[in-house]
Amino acid sequence: MARATAVSDFLSGLFDRRWIGGDKLEAQPIEALCDALLSTGGQVSGRQIASAILRRYESLKAEEKLAFFHHLNDALDLDATAVAELAARYQDEPTPAHFAALSKAAEPRRQELFRRLNQAEGATAALVRMRVDLLRLVKAHPELKRTDMDLTHLLRSWFNRGFLVLRQISWDTPASILEKIVAYEAVHEIQDWDDLRRRLHPPDRRCFAFFHPAMPDEPLIFVEVALTQEVPGSIQKVLAEDRAPLQIEEARTAVFYSISNCQRGLAGISFGNLLIKQVASELAQALPQLTNFVTLSPIPGLRKWTEAQDLPTLPFDELAAHYLLEAKRSDGLPTDPVARFHLGNGAAVLEVHADADASEKGDAQSYGVMVNYHYDLIQTEKNHEDFALQHSIAASKPIKAKARSALAAITRNSAP
Amino acid sequence: MARATAVSDFLSGLFDRRWIGGDKLEAQPIEALCDALLSTGGQVSGRQIASAILRRYESLKAEEKLAFFHHLNDALDLDATAVAELAARYQDEPTPAHFAALSKAAEPRRQELFRRLNQAEGATAALVRMRVDLLRLVKAHPELKRTDMDLTHLLRSWFNRGFLVLRQISWDTPASILEKIVAYEAVHEIQDWDDLRRRLHPPDRRCFAFFHPAMPDEPLIFVEVALTQEVPGSIQKVLAEDRAPLQIEEARTAVFYSISNCQRGLAGISFGNLLIKQVASELAQALPQLTNFVTLSPIPGLRKWTEAQDLPTLPFDELAAHYLLEAKRSDGLPTDPVARFHLGNGAAVLEVHADADASEKGDAQSYGVMVNYHYDLIQTEKNHEDFALQHSIAASKPIKAKARSALAAITRNSAP
Amino acid sequence: MARATAVSDFLSGLFDRRWIGGDKLEAQPIEALCDALLSTGGQVSGRQIASAILRRYESLKAEEKLAFFHHLNDALDLDATAVAELAARYQDEPTPAHFAALSKAAEPRRQELFRRLNQAEGATAALVRMRVDLLRLVKAHPELKRTDMDLTHLLRSWFNRGFLVLRQISWDTPASILEKIVAYEAVHEIQDWDDLRRRLHPPDRRCFAFFHPAMPDEPLIFVEVALTQEVPGSIQKVLAEDRAPLQIEEARTAVFYSISNCQRGLAGISFGNLLIKQVASELAQALPQLTNFVTLSPIPGLRKWTEAQDLPTLPFDELAAHYLLEAKRSDGLPTDPVARFHLGNGAAVLEVHADADASEKGDAQSYGVMVNYHYDLIQTEKNHEDFALQHSIAASKPIKAKARSALAAITRNSAP
Amino acid sequence: MARATAVSDFLSGLFDRRWIGGDKLEAQPIEALCDALLSTGGQVSGRQIASAILRRYESLKAEEKLAFFHHLNDALDLDATAVAELAARYQDEPTPAHFAALSKAAEPRRQELFRRLNQAEGATAALVRMRVDLLRLVKAHPELKRTDMDLTHLLRSWFNRGFLVLRQISWDTPASILEKIVAYEAVHEIQDWDDLRRRLHPPDRRCFAFFHPAMPDEPLIFVEVALTQEVPGSIQKVLAEDRAPLQIEEARTAVFYSISNCQRGLAGISFGNLLIKQVASELAQALPQLTNFVTLSPIPGLRKWTEAQDLPTLPFDELAAHYLLEAKRSDGLPTDPVARFHLGNGAAVLEVHADADASEKGDAQSYGVMVNYHYDLIQTEKNHEDFALQHSIAASKPIKAKARSALAAITRNSAP
């Protein structure tokens, strides 16, 4: 038990110091440590140097971190002249040796640095935290985007779907994980542990998260699911404190009512579509009575978009149908970010509901309207292709009717 | 139990087929599937296509595999002209956009293909197996080395030390893992389960292996350890069937007497040094009475090298000391591969023993001589640096004396 | 996952009904079911009947439960006439057959009933709950004590130390267990999950509980431990929200500041002494720097006892010392129940502190005075024997001095 | 890892000695230690004394063990005179106090001794081993049966079905468990690890065992199951080395072809019926395609019984059918012990097969004939009752026909 750990930490420290002469390490600037890490054969002392760099980084002040990233960005960049020459040489003579030289030159040395840093205990989580800093700095220092591209490239490779682990989150999950679920829930805030219990413990509730083996205590993304008979039209009803749980045999519908990313340092590396699909698959196997897989989703862009238009007064549901099907960005994709996510996954717009989210946030975003997206297992692939290639949006008949009705009113209104 | 799995496999297959229309997949050539995988957004149907490609690959005939690798090697290579142009442009104007374009162009598309293949269930193991084929083909088709470099690059990134898990292998380990230990032991063959039990079960024996989370049933490398009082000079004594186990309190020495790599598909990605070091660290913590960390190693190149020389008759131990300290390759490193490995790790040559390995193999390799390398925790780093920079070999006084004695005899012999 | 369970429950129910013809079971009175369970060979259908009885019991009304226990008490009692005869026969002729007959007759049939009930899934927990009812009924129906003796006898045998499992409770423990810790804490109430986190998560806090394998979700008893430098004199300081945790290397003292029994149905079966001793042993192994094992305990009987005496005004600590050493029950044991527990375990009275518990409860029980009992690993056994045989109380010199001072004041006061 | 254990063992020993003054313990005779254990409050030092007694017991010589058991049998027996008096007193006045006194007196003190011994670490397994000795001694010293009755009584209570854990045994089970399966298989010997692998690894094979939480490394009983299409008629075919495994989807029949008890010390405490029933239930849930649950069983008593009769030459299958249905002991139950077991569980005789077991043992027991017993989930309970109450044997039509045919031949033969 605890003894083993305490002794182990103590001896391990001693051992490492004896092995590498750690004190000297502590005295050097972080840039020198990075050089040392890149120049070692990467084996004997690499892990200790990597650990030292990551510990040092955590202790840097803001301006020192900026300097560190600029060092990576410039001193550890690729040498474009060399790349051009080696590319020409490979063009002339595509030998493995020339290929090797070109490949090596074309990869900025900071990529190898990140890979070697990743050897240390806890390094993966440390690199994800490092990217949180980097993303913030990129705003004021856009040139650092180059370093971010390299880090993102590696993180995407390491957080490959093949390495992710799906775990059910339940009331039997360790509290140390659950407190992170509370902290990371981004769609419908979890008030306290009683609220959390209501979302996890009843027999008609499920929650699943992806984890990475190198960060076993950190959920990457999680989805909360309600099992219902009908497709629900109100988040208040789904989350009501005093509701009676459904007998699991009577469930027909799985409602994905909240999806939250947990790691800002993994921004841009998308897990949501994979999670929904795998959870739908798990649920379909475990509960064959389920025939419907839908979301109950916010429409975060509705109010802002509406207020920028000159529209007649419309019923909220018709307004929302119109917005979801017709409001487009300049690239032809839907204006609404949540719509882009689910439609891009191959879902269809199924139904919209006024008075579905009575919270302040719901009113501020979308006048309280919410939408169900439908994951029809047979249509998903075709929907996805049509959306990807032609930007065409799959929608149910009622939605199309509501959108038509809205369009007619708008046309009437704009007629002279 | 089994039911869940059976149902799950069945439904999961159904689900996947419904989702993607798998039958069509099966009809297409593997190259078209690769194109499809590279052109998808990588999310909705990527996993199914990746699975289909890997299944297809396993069923290919030898010449079809060759064609597949040539496709990767040529059609999915980088475009060197484009790289040269983009490098020049980035040279002129090092913007993030130019960097992104250059980075993308400089990476052969087969790298992205391998990454996307890795999304599928069991893909990591499948890619490791794929490399076994590739390594065999590279011998007759050296141009395929380019593809192997890319695959190796990714495997090295994925099998980063930070992702490896050290597990003790014992008589409580599942038989399905243990049968792999039997199969993979490459130094001193394990005859049968009784022999295995003798190596794992006694209180003075240990075994440790590295695993990767994506291949939980496949050891990557393992080391067998004997705990002894003195530094041993005979592998027969270490492995004797009828020996009495040592009381663990009396152990002073940990002997690494066998290290075996398990995955030919990971050739060139070295885990051995990391494993020895971490196991030494674990043992030092668990058993503070241990003060000596040594190997009992073969000298595989001794006989072959000796027979190519014109040497006087020497005592075997002096011959071996001479060989280990003096026989060098053209690059200045030791001729003996096991010596290169341990000296490169920072070990020192401690002692040599005649009649140490009475097996046929032992005689054929080294006249039965074996060697102890010494992992002195304080000296390892310095030894490593001296060896890496100046090719200088750390050795104990007795070894140096034996080598001197041998040299004197040789000098006398070659004198006119 | 969930599927397996759902299917399993469904099929298992079906299976059981087919196997035994469950409908008939449901129609019979619980007494008839008990007869059926006692008359079966105990193998084929025993588990189903046992389950039916336990389900039926849970649904009984209060008066029906009373009738059920009276049935056990009377109809399933032993036959004293037979016992007397068989004892005489065994006395005459002590053969195994006579012994068997006497043993069988001397054990009330309800014991065998309880054993057979215990075959059912979840039965152990159900029997513990059943005893909660029984203990309540015994107050008004003291004759039921006979049935309680038999149930207690069996529970004591089943909750034997050899079957208990010690588990550390930490912030990594499942929430479903932790909510029971919150519910069962009986000494210093846990306000909410934040409070719980403060007791489990800091590096200088520990919590351990005993579990039984047949009730894996139900802690039986748990102890909360604070690691400190000095012996603490105030529970407020130990539990302060804003305290800085101690570096674990600096800890010298383990303070058992709260011990709570969780199962009223196991009243009278004592685990506390075993738990303290085993936790002390675990901590001593894990953290060799710990040299002091003490409690910070309430003195629940101090105020009530004081108010019944005619005492002069005394400093609270002297009053408490006097009470702990001098106030005795008619059987010669200390009046204070917590003192009886710890002194009975072989602890010594180490120190008393005024203003140690500022809560209302603390004031009401003991004017806010608390006491440290000392578990001196070398003295414990001797203390225990002296206390058990001669009722003599081990105490430190300061405590004895305070008690003497109190006694002097009392003597002066009572002098004419 | 190992360190923790080594340190823990060391400190724990130290701790215990300090706590109790262990050296003195070691000097006392085992009978005195038993008295000490019975006289302690059972809490502070009980575990140490219990451990000391169990260690001492293991070191006793044969005659010392006999003396120890005689001590338990005589000195720790009940006092029959007291029991008779207390029974009479309870008869007059059935108060709880009188009941308590009678209960205490009627239980031999050795029962409490066994319970207290069971507190020590590993004690349950030690007591089971102790009973192996006792059972052997009872043969020559039948008076010790009294002590055995008490030990059996407690073991039956502790190895209650409610405490047993069913675990699947597979090729993923630790080797340390599997070697016990090899050792304990009593019906069809497992030759070596390859043979074991053939019984566990193919997809159409299953194995399940009961374990007790206090003996987690020791299977109590296990059953081997083959999944087949048809009811098999030859054990050689079931175990053939070169057979092709069945696709699991095509399985319709679960064949229990071997059931082995593992613990001689638990002789007389039956787990077989419970195991078969629970495994059938598990399999029915996991593999709904299974519709048949049968055995392929030996007929161990056939040859011996036949040779004692004066029978005409009969076809082996008719002879076996006759034997199974007609050969009875004086108590009216079948002569064949395996038949008694399965028929007692509620199974029916389904079919007999000549040439079903070609081994020497098979020939020696039953001329190579084997039998299928049928566990029809709907009939089992009724069969069990009919067998238990009227000794009537359920059998299929073909079996009855064969038995009739045999009877006709016998009648003809014995006719003058």
Side-chain angles (χ1 to χ4, degrees), chain D residues 397-414:
Chain D
K397 284 186 185 168
I399 285 292
K400 286 179 183 163
K402 286 179 181 176
R404 268 198 309 272
S405 172
L407 207 55
I410 292 167
T411 311
R412 277 194 306 275
N413 187 55
S414 61

Side-chain angles (χ1 to χ4, degrees), chain A residues 1-3 6 168 171-176 178-179 193 197 206 208 282 285-288, chain C residues 1-3 6 168 171-176 178-179 193 197 206 208 282 285-288:
Chain A
M1 297 181 50
R3 171 68 190 296
Q168 186 165 358
W171 195 236
D172 288 328
T173 297
S176 52
L178 292 183
E179 70 176 347
W193 286 79
R197 194 181 197 282
R206 296 289 185 282
F208 294 87
E282 297 275 344
Q285 292 165 39
L287 302 168
Chain C
M1 298 180 49
R3 170 70 189 294
Q168 187 166 0
W171 194 236
D172 289 328
T173 298
S176 52
L178 293 183
E179 69 178 349
W193 286 80
R197 193 182 197 280
R206 295 289 184 282
F208 294 87
E282 297 276 343
Q285 293 166 37
L287 301 169

Side-chain angles (χ1 to χ4, degrees), chain B residues 87-294:
Chain B
R89 200 168 64 170
Y90 178 63
Q91 173 77 346
D92 288 350
E93 229 181 316
T95 65
H98 290 170
F99 177 77
L102 173 57
S103 286
K104 191 168 190 305
E107 189 189 85
R109 291 175 67 217
R110 57 187 170 252
Q111 274 206 31
E112 180 65 16
L113 180 75
F114 288 134
R115 274 195 295 267
R116 292 188 179 195
L117 285 175
N118 195 33
Q119 296 173 72
E121 180 114 23
T124 308
L127 289 170
V128 170
R129 284 194 304 271
M130 189 183 279
R131 188 163 174 251
V132 175
D133 293 340
L134 182 54
L135 283 173
R136 200 171 39 228
L137 291 170
V138 157
K139 288 177 192 160
H141 306 274
E143 69 280 7
L144 290 179
K145 213 163 183 318
R146 302 204 315 262
T147 292
D148 183 50
M149 283 174 193
D150 283 328
L151 183 51
T152 304
H153 181 79
L154 285 171
L155 290 175
R156 183 170 282 127
S157 182
W158 290 335
F159 285 83
N160 194 297
R161 174 62 190 92
F163 296 147
L164 301 188
V165 178
L166 184 75
R167 285 204 266 164
Q168 186 165 358
I169 302 294
S170 77
W171 194 237
D172 288 328
T173 298
S176 53
I177 302 283
L178 292 183
E179 69 177 348
K180 289 173 182 167
I181 298 294
V182 173
Y184 292 139
E185 158 66 72
V187 185
H188 304 292
E189 195 188 352
I190 299 175
Q191 306 296 329
D192 54 23
W193 286 80
D194 290 336
D195 195 8
L196 177 68
R197 193 181 197 281
R198 283 194 296 274
R199 302 209 193 180
L200 298 180
H201 192 257
D204 60 349
R205 294 301 147 100
R206 295 288 185 281
C207 180
F208 294 88
F210 272 141
F211 289 79
H212 189 278
M215 293 166 61
D217 301 331
E218 281 288 341
L220 306 181
I221 187 173
F222 63 92
V223 61
E224 295 166 72
V225 187
L227 305 179
T228 63
Q229 284 184 298
E230 310 295 332
V231 174
S234 154
I235 190 67
Q236 275 76 36
K237 285 192 190 151
V238 168
L239 297 182
E241 282 194 28
D242 55 352
R243 66 180 197 87
L246 185 69
Q247 294 288 355
I248 201 67
E249 296 76 22
E250 296 169 24
R252 296 293 174 272
T253 306
V255 186
F256 302 89
Y257 69 87
S258 179
I259 306 175
S260 298
N261 282 294
C262 305
Q263 306 294 331
R264 274 183 299 145
L266 295 175
I269 303 173
S270 171
F271 308 115
N273 167 31
L274 291 166
L275 180 64
I276 289 179
K277 199 182 144 193
Q278 180 144 1
V279 169
S281 174
E282 296 275 344
L283 290 172
Q285 292 165 38
L287 301 168
Q289 66 267 42
L290 295 179
T291 52
N292 257 341
F293 296 87
V294 305

Side-chain angles (χ1 to χ4, degrees), chain D residues 335-391:
Chain D
T335 298
D336 196 76
V338 172
R340 282 200 304 278
F341 173 71
H342 289 297
L343 297 172
N345 294 343
V349 186
L350 179 65
E351 190 48 283
V352 289
H353 307 274
D355 296 325
D357 181 354
S359 72
E360 268 186 47
K361 185 178 169 192
D363 183 54
Q365 285 186 338
S366 61
Y367 311 104
V369 187
M370 297 187 80
V371 54
N372 305 119
Y373 296 100
H374 184 201
Y375 282 82
D376 177 330
L377 308 187
I378 298 175
Q379 292 297 322
T380 308
E381 184 64 9
K382 185 174 184 316
N383 290 346
H384 164 71
E385 279 174 24
D386 292 351
F387 182 81
L389 301 178
Q390 306 146 34
H391 302 340

